[in-house]
Amino acid sequence: MDRFVGYKIRRIKHAIINELNDILRNFDLRIMDFAVLSIIETNPGIFQNEITRLVGAEPPALVLSLDRLEKANYLLRQLSPTDRRLRTLHLTPDGKKLIKKVTAKVEQQERRIKQAVRGDLPQFVAGLDDLMRVYGIE
């Protein structure tokens, strides 16, 4: 099986995701939670429905994550001043502290992954981007 690229990618994906889950578990977070917090950090006031599109999640899964994060006092949902049907999302001070700590740990994992790549890293990443496009992944 090791001669198949898809098989190798699958095994690597599982190893990376398992390691990421271990990192996040230390903060009582899931991958969806981390994605949501990261997006809100860089886009304060983003609409809830925009996050659904960005993470590629079903609305019910996103709502569960938002509920969990709001209950833990990491984010606030506020009515949009321009459209009361929409809610904007903002990190609380606790949420800002948490995302900094979590991001530092995830960046350690990223550095390890990048160090493991032989050769030209930008070319390798461009190849991954090409594969994502071929498979219709944004």
Side-chain angles (χ1 to χ4, degrees):
M1 291 295 291
D2 284 343
R3 66 188 172 110
F4 296 108
V5 174
Y7 177 74
K8 287 182 179 190
I9 290 172
R10 179 183 162 275
R11 291 193 61 203
I12 293 165
K13 178 199 93 161
H14 284 292
I16 291 170
I17 293 298
N18 287 340
E19 183 179 49
L20 179 59
N21 279 326
D22 289 344
I23 292 167
L24 297 176
R25 194 174 299 112
N26 290 322
F27 297 95
D28 198 27
L29 294 174
R30 298 174 182 160
I31 291 176
M32 173 75 79
D33 302 334
F34 176 62
V36 167
L37 291 171
S38 296
I39 291 168
I40 296 170
E41 179 191 30
T42 56
N43 302 281
I46 189 170
F47 291 122
Q48 186 171 316
N49 60 344
E50 290 175 342
I51 289 188
T52 303
R53 183 182 55 78
L54 288 172
V55 297
E58 294 295 320
L62 177 67
V63 168
L64 286 174
S65 178
L66 293 174
D67 288 347
R68 200 171 33 255
L69 294 169
E70 188 174 42
K71 184 177 180 182
N73 194 37
Y74 296 138
L75 70 82
L76 292 171
R77 289 186 248 198
Q78 299 175 335
L79 290 176
S80 166
T82 57
D83 186 340
R84 297 186 57 84
R85 295 171 296 171
L86 299 174
R87 292 182 180 251
T88 59
L89 302 172
H90 307 269
L91 294 182
T92 64
D94 287 348
K96 289 176 184 178
K97 288 178 197 170
L98 175 70
I99 195 61
K100 285 189 187 321
K101 289 178 189 175
V102 175
T103 299
K105 292 294 185 183
V106 173
E107 285 173 348
Q108 287 177 354
Q109 180 193 32
E110 282 289 302
R111 282 191 295 278
R112 225 179 93 231
I113 292 167
K114 289 174 181 176
Q115 289 169 352
V117 174
R118 285 184 285 175
D120 187 320
L121 181 64
Q123 186 176 1
F124 176 78
V125 172
L128 293 175
D129 290 341
D130 292 343
L131 273 172
M132 290 176 73
R133 274 191 296 283
V134 165
Y135 285 93
I137 301 168
E138 293 181 31

